[in-house]
Amino acid sequence: MPTTIAIIGAGAMGSAVGQRLIQGGARVLSFTEGRSQRTLDRVRAAGIEPAAIADIAKADLIFSIVPPAEATGVARRFAPVLSAASAKGTFIDFNAINPNSMRDVGSVLAGTGWDICDGAIIGLPPKPDNAGPKFYVSGGSAAIVDRLAALGLRAHRVDGSIGAASALKMVYAGINKGLIGLGTTMLLAAAGSGSAASLHAEMAESMPELLARFQRSIPDMYPKAYRWVAEMEEIAEFLGPDDPGAALFQAMAEVFSRIAHDQNADGRLASTLDGVLAGK
Amino acid sequence: MPTTIAIIGAGAMGSAVGQRLIQGGARVLSFTEGRSQRTLDRVRAAGIEPAAIADIAKADLIFSIVPPAEATGVARRFAPVLSAASAKGTFIDFNAINPNSMRDVGSVLAGTGWDICDGAIIGLPPKPDNAGPKFYVSGGSAAIVDRLAALGLRAHRVDGSIGAASALKMVYAGINKGLIGLGTTMLLAAAGSGSAASLHAEMAESMPELLARFQRSIPDMYPKAYRWVAEMEEIAEFLGPDDPGAALFQAMAEVFSRIAHDQNADGRLASTLDGVLAGK
């Protein structure tokens, strides 16, 4: 009998991970209660079975892949159902939440009898033609990494208990997305101060790899900016009020919030950024 | 007769630029009033002539290369002397100041009869074995770029008036030094949360060029961190209170301030960073 994996969260990442697991031989369920017909259609098109909460609790593995703000709510909602389940599996929280929030999730689920793991997904959603992101896991049973690898995921252990994988996600996203926020800020300032053409020429000569990274990652960010606001706030909370990095990531949240608003308005900031990136 | 260049500011950049100009065939003076015997010795060893304020005003070109906070004071102090000088040359403010401060410098010197230029130095001080930094100039007479190039400097024009070269310096330094501040913040957070080894492995695989940049630029920053505090504050002022980038660079100033304090204390943060960068 194939391994059954239930995914809570049917977003771009959750659906793509589900497809990858199906390719790896698994049966994949998705908790779709309250989701739109469009989401249901997309999930079914991916070969994933929409499922009710009671069926989710019968899975071998449960992955929580939801927006950061929903992670603790998911744990609270599923705790009684997991406690009631006769067979106990493994629950992995793959959300981009800070280690303290992850420890809250762990506490909420501690009495259910399930093995609870902290997970972090690093990289873009898997596609048929790429190796896919990496799945880091800390806490819980060490055997889980081999089980995930057997299902076709690039799985790695992070030494440490619940919180360690979330911390890795925070620091990696802080570097990766923070760099995009920094570039966004300075390229807009270049455009506003008439120094964009000189900046482009100077970067092309003295930091070509960074210019190429901006050209790739800044336009990629526009449609995701609204989601990154909460991620930056998670990083600020992770760093804590005594770290100057907390104020730094509060500011990053504002940077992405401006881009998110721009996407809902006339896209003026995005086209300014595109112009600077093209050397215009 | 060789071109005579007077440099105000005998720091690492000012002295190295002076040496490069001497190699290029110029006579170089340095305004050393009130400086230590050690500075005088270093200046003379570089072949630069210590000079009084009246002699500085007889030079063909004057370069102001001082800490940002001193730039306007230098302009105020030299304005009457430049006004009194019978022969009028070119004064270039090469300081890392924001465009508004640069416009203040321009106003202070406007009535002196000298050609006033806005300059920006991008890159590390020249050494005998490298091409040296780039010297960007805006405002003033367009011929200045060719004169600098004839003296062996890598000189470029920035389109625009006084303020444009300073703006370029702000945006470039914001990217270059901001990235170092971001890396410093997140590597310290990785060490504090037990995720440093995993972060190093992940970066080595998925962002090797950024890891290499951190390995080079973060330790290089430690002894300069105290100077970068004021530079980050200049960038915050440049961005202005309505830009979320202002709060971002206020936070960057705090990050470098912590490192500066650490350098004057036990160097614990620096050795933590060294450990993370080495994958320990």
PDB file of all heavy atoms in Angstrom, chain B residues 193-213:
ATOM      1  N   SER B 193      20.962  30.677  16.971  1.00  0.00           N
ATOM      2  CA  SER B 193      19.811  29.765  16.927  1.00  0.00           C
ATOM      3  C   SER B 193      20.213  28.351  16.538  1.00  0.00           C
ATOM      4  O   SER B 193      19.349  27.518  16.266  1.00  0.00           O
ATOM      5  CB  SER B 193      18.774  30.301  15.930  1.00  0.00           C
ATOM      6  OG  SER B 193      19.313  30.318  14.620  1.00  0.00           O
ATOM      7  N   GLY B 194      21.507  28.078  16.494  1.00  0.00           N
ATOM      8  CA  GLY B 194      21.963  26.719  16.212  1.00  0.00           C
ATOM      9  C   GLY B 194      21.790  26.279  14.776  1.00  0.00           C
ATOM     10  O   GLY B 194      21.834  25.090  14.475  1.00  0.00           O
ATOM     11  N   SER B 195      21.596  27.225  13.858  1.00  0.00           N
ATOM     12  CA  SER B 195      21.373  26.824  12.463  1.00  0.00           C
ATOM     13  C   SER B 195      22.557  27.206  11.563  1.00  0.00           C
ATOM     14  O   SER B 195      22.442  27.144  10.337  1.00  0.00           O
ATOM     15  CB  SER B 195      20.080  27.465  11.944  1.00  0.00           C
ATOM     16  OG  SER B 195      20.139  28.866  12.049  1.00  0.00           O
ATOM     17  N   ALA B 196      23.686  27.562  12.156  1.00  0.00           N
ATOM     18  CA  ALA B 196      24.820  28.063  11.371  1.00  0.00           C
ATOM     19  C   ALA B 196      25.389  27.013  10.421  1.00  0.00           C
ATOM     20  O   ALA B 196      25.669  27.314   9.256  1.00  0.00           O
ATOM     21  CB  ALA B 196      25.915  28.598  12.294  1.00  0.00           C
ATOM     22  N   ALA B 197      25.561  25.793  10.900  1.00  0.00           N
ATOM     23  CA  ALA B 197      26.165  24.762  10.050  1.00  0.00           C
ATOM     24  C   ALA B 197      25.261  24.454   8.850  1.00  0.00           C
ATOM     25  O   ALA B 197      25.733  24.355   7.713  1.00  0.00           O
ATOM     26  CB  ALA B 197      26.433  23.492  10.859  1.00  0.00           C
ATOM     27  N   SER B 198      23.952  24.334   9.097  1.00  0.00           N
ATOM     28  CA  SER B 198      23.016  24.071   7.993  1.00  0.00           C
ATOM     29  C   SER B 198      22.972  25.237   7.023  1.00  0.00           C
ATOM     30  O   SER B 198      22.898  25.054   5.806  1.00  0.00           O
ATOM     31  CB  SER B 198      21.608  23.821   8.531  1.00  0.00           C
ATOM     32  OG  SER B 198      21.578  22.645   9.311  1.00  0.00           O
ATOM     33  N   LEU B 199      23.022  26.467   7.559  1.00  0.00           N
ATOM     34  CA  LEU B 199      22.995  27.647   6.688  1.00  0.00           C
ATOM     35  C   LEU B 199      24.228  27.667   5.786  1.00  0.00           C
ATOM     36  O   LEU B 199      24.120  27.927   4.584  1.00  0.00           O
ATOM     37  CB  LEU B 199      22.950  28.938   7.518  1.00  0.00           C
ATOM     38  CG  LEU B 199      23.007  30.222   6.676  1.00  0.00           C
ATOM     39  CD1 LEU B 199      21.735  30.395   5.854  1.00  0.00           C
ATOM     40  CD2 LEU B 199      23.247  31.458   7.543  1.00  0.00           C
ATOM     41  N   HIS B 200      25.392  27.372   6.371  1.00  0.00           N
ATOM     42  CA  HIS B 200      26.630  27.369   5.582  1.00  0.00           C
ATOM     43  C   HIS B 200      26.534  26.338   4.458  1.00  0.00           C
ATOM     44  O   HIS B 200      26.871  26.622   3.308  1.00  0.00           O
ATOM     45  CB  HIS B 200      27.831  27.084   6.493  1.00  0.00           C
ATOM     46  CG  HIS B 200      29.149  27.236   5.810  1.00  0.00           C
ATOM     47  ND1 HIS B 200      29.721  26.230   5.062  1.00  0.00           N
ATOM     48  CD2 HIS B 200      30.009  28.287   5.741  1.00  0.00           C
ATOM     49  CE1 HIS B 200      30.862  26.659   4.563  1.00  0.00           C
ATOM     50  NE2 HIS B 200      31.076  27.895   4.959  1.00  0.00           N
ATOM     51  N   ALA B 201      26.055  25.150   4.776  1.00  0.00           N
ATOM     52  CA  ALA B 201      25.942  24.083   3.764  1.00  0.00           C
ATOM     53  C   ALA B 201      24.951  24.486   2.669  1.00  0.00           C
ATOM     54  O   ALA B 201      25.208  24.302   1.471  1.00  0.00           O
ATOM     55  CB  ALA B 201      25.504  22.779   4.426  1.00  0.00           C
ATOM     56  N   GLU B 202      23.820  25.065   3.074  1.00  0.00           N
ATOM     57  CA  GLU B 202      22.803  25.463   2.099  1.00  0.00           C
ATOM     58  C   GLU B 202      23.316  26.591   1.201  1.00  0.00           C
ATOM     59  O   GLU B 202      23.122  26.563  -0.026  1.00  0.00           O
ATOM     60  CB  GLU B 202      21.523  25.882   2.840  1.00  0.00           C
ATOM     61  CG  GLU B 202      20.396  26.403   1.957  1.00  0.00           C
ATOM     62  CD  GLU B 202      19.895  25.411   0.916  1.00  0.00           C
ATOM     63  OE1 GLU B 202      19.833  24.208   1.206  1.00  0.00           O
ATOM     64  OE2 GLU B 202      19.581  25.859  -0.213  1.00  0.00           O
ATOM     65  N   MET B 203      23.991  27.571   1.803  1.00  0.00           N
ATOM     66  CA  MET B 203      24.525  28.681   0.994  1.00  0.00           C
ATOM     67  C   MET B 203      25.621  28.191   0.044  1.00  0.00           C
ATOM     68  O   MET B 203      25.704  28.641  -1.098  1.00  0.00           O
ATOM     69  CB  MET B 203      25.089  29.791   1.888  1.00  0.00           C
ATOM     70  CG  MET B 203      24.030  30.621   2.581  1.00  0.00           C
ATOM     71  SD  MET B 203      24.737  32.121   3.360  1.00  0.00           S
ATOM     72  CE  MET B 203      24.925  33.189   1.906  1.00  0.00           C
ATOM     73  N   ALA B 204      26.466  27.286   0.528  1.00  0.00           N
ATOM     74  CA  ALA B 204      27.555  26.775  -0.316  1.00  0.00           C
ATOM     75  C   ALA B 204      26.969  26.109  -1.557  1.00  0.00           C
ATOM     76  O   ALA B 204      27.559  26.143  -2.634  1.00  0.00           O
ATOM     77  CB  ALA B 204      28.419  25.798   0.470  1.00  0.00           C
ATOM     78  N   GLU B 205      25.767  25.537  -1.414  1.00  0.00           N
ATOM     79  CA  GLU B 205      25.158  24.845  -2.542  1.00  0.00           C
ATOM     80  C   GLU B 205      24.313  25.780  -3.404  1.00  0.00           C
ATOM     81  O   GLU B 205      24.428  25.769  -4.627  1.00  0.00           O
ATOM     82  CB  GLU B 205      24.290  23.695  -2.022  1.00  0.00           C
ATOM     83  CG  GLU B 205      23.938  22.710  -3.124  1.00  0.00           C
ATOM     84  CD  GLU B 205      23.046  21.598  -2.619  1.00  0.00           C
ATOM     85  OE1 GLU B 205      23.242  21.135  -1.472  1.00  0.00           O
ATOM     86  OE2 GLU B 205      22.131  21.216  -3.377  1.00  0.00           O
ATOM     87  N   SER B 206      23.469  26.608  -2.763  1.00  0.00           N
ATOM     88  CA  SER B 206      22.494  27.347  -3.571  1.00  0.00           C
ATOM     89  C   SER B 206      22.849  28.812  -3.799  1.00  0.00           C
ATOM     90  O   SER B 206      22.260  29.438  -4.675  1.00  0.00           O
ATOM     91  CB  SER B 206      21.098  27.231  -2.952  1.00  0.00           C
ATOM     92  OG  SER B 206      21.068  27.806  -1.663  1.00  0.00           O
ATOM     93  N   MET B 207      23.777  29.380  -3.028  1.00  0.00           N
ATOM     94  CA  MET B 207      24.219  30.751  -3.302  1.00  0.00           C
ATOM     95  C   MET B 207      25.709  30.890  -3.014  1.00  0.00           C
ATOM     96  O   MET B 207      26.109  31.708  -2.174  1.00  0.00           O
ATOM     97  CB  MET B 207      23.391  31.806  -2.550  1.00  0.00           C
ATOM     98  CG  MET B 207      22.619  31.382  -1.321  1.00  0.00           C
ATOM     99  SD  MET B 207      21.979  32.810  -0.333  1.00  0.00           S
ATOM    100  CE  MET B 207      20.306  32.920  -0.913  1.00  0.00           C
ATOM    101  N   PRO B 208      26.536  30.103  -3.730  1.00  0.00           N
ATOM    102  CA  PRO B 208      27.974  30.098  -3.432  1.00  0.00           C
ATOM    103  C   PRO B 208      28.635  31.464  -3.638  1.00  0.00           C
ATOM    104  O   PRO B 208      29.542  31.822  -2.885  1.00  0.00           O
ATOM    105  CB  PRO B 208      28.542  29.062  -4.405  1.00  0.00           C
ATOM    106  CG  PRO B 208      27.525  28.933  -5.495  1.00  0.00           C
ATOM    107  CD  PRO B 208      26.198  29.180  -4.833  1.00  0.00           C
ATOM    108  N   GLU B 209      28.168  32.228  -4.620  1.00  0.00           N
ATOM    109  CA  GLU B 209      28.800  33.534  -4.891  1.00  0.00           C
ATOM    110  C   GLU B 209      28.522  34.515  -3.745  1.00  0.00           C
ATOM    111  O   GLU B 209      29.367  35.352  -3.418  1.00  0.00           O
ATOM    112  CB  GLU B 209      28.368  34.073  -6.263  1.00  0.00           C
ATOM    113  CG  GLU B 209      27.045  34.794  -6.336  1.00  0.00           C
ATOM    114  CD  GLU B 209      25.820  33.930  -6.033  1.00  0.00           C
ATOM    115  OE1 GLU B 209      25.862  32.674  -6.109  1.00  0.00           O
ATOM    116  OE2 GLU B 209      24.776  34.519  -5.696  1.00  0.00           O
ATOM    117  N   LEU B 210      27.347  34.375  -3.119  1.00  0.00           N
ATOM    118  CA  LEU B 210      27.011  35.254  -1.998  1.00  0.00           C
ATOM    119  C   LEU B 210      27.800  34.841  -0.746  1.00  0.00           C
ATOM    120  O   LEU B 210      28.287  35.702  -0.002  1.00  0.00           O
ATOM    121  CB  LEU B 210      25.496  35.172  -1.727  1.00  0.00           C
ATOM    122  CG  LEU B 210      24.843  36.376  -1.082  1.00  0.00           C
ATOM    123  CD1 LEU B 210      25.112  37.654  -1.864  1.00  0.00           C
ATOM    124  CD2 LEU B 210      23.338  36.158  -0.965  1.00  0.00           C
ATOM    125  N   LEU B 211      27.950  33.544  -0.541  1.00  0.00           N
ATOM    126  CA  LEU B 211      28.774  33.071   0.585  1.00  0.00           C
ATOM    127  C   LEU B 211      30.207  33.575   0.432  1.00  0.00           C
ATOM    128  O   LEU B 211      30.807  34.080   1.388  1.00  0.00           O
ATOM    129  CB  LEU B 211      28.742  31.537   0.662  1.00  0.00           C
ATOM    130  CG  LEU B 211      29.592  30.910   1.765  1.00  0.00           C
ATOM    131  CD1 LEU B 211      29.154  31.371   3.159  1.00  0.00           C
ATOM    132  CD2 LEU B 211      29.551  29.375   1.686  1.00  0.00           C
ATOM    133  N   ALA B 212      30.752  33.474  -0.782  1.00  0.00           N
ATOM    134  CA  ALA B 212      32.126  33.943  -1.030  1.00  0.00           C
ATOM    135  C   ALA B 212      32.232  35.446  -0.775  1.00  0.00           C
ATOM    136  O   ALA B 212      33.224  35.924  -0.202  1.00  0.00           O
ATOM    137  CB  ALA B 212      32.542  33.616  -2.464  1.00  0.00           C
ATOM    138  N   ARG B 213      31.206  36.182  -1.183  1.00  0.00           N
ATOM    139  CA  ARG B 213      31.202  37.629  -0.944  1.00  0.00           C
ATOM    140  C   ARG B 213      31.203  37.930   0.559  1.00  0.00           C
ATOM    141  O   ARG B 213      31.923  38.800   1.027  1.00  0.00           O
ATOM    142  CB  ARG B 213      29.980  38.255  -1.631  1.00  0.00           C
ATOM    143  CG  ARG B 213      29.817  39.752  -1.426  1.00  0.00           C
ATOM    144  CD  ARG B 213      28.616  40.297  -2.187  1.00  0.00           C
ATOM    145  NE  ARG B 213      28.953  40.652  -3.534  1.00  0.00           N
ATOM    146  CZ  ARG B 213      29.397  41.858  -3.917  1.00  0.00           C
ATOM    147  NH1 ARG B 213      29.541  42.830  -3.040  1.00  0.00           N
ATOM    148  NH2 ARG B 213      29.695  42.088  -5.171  1.00  0.00           N
TER     149      ARG B 213
END
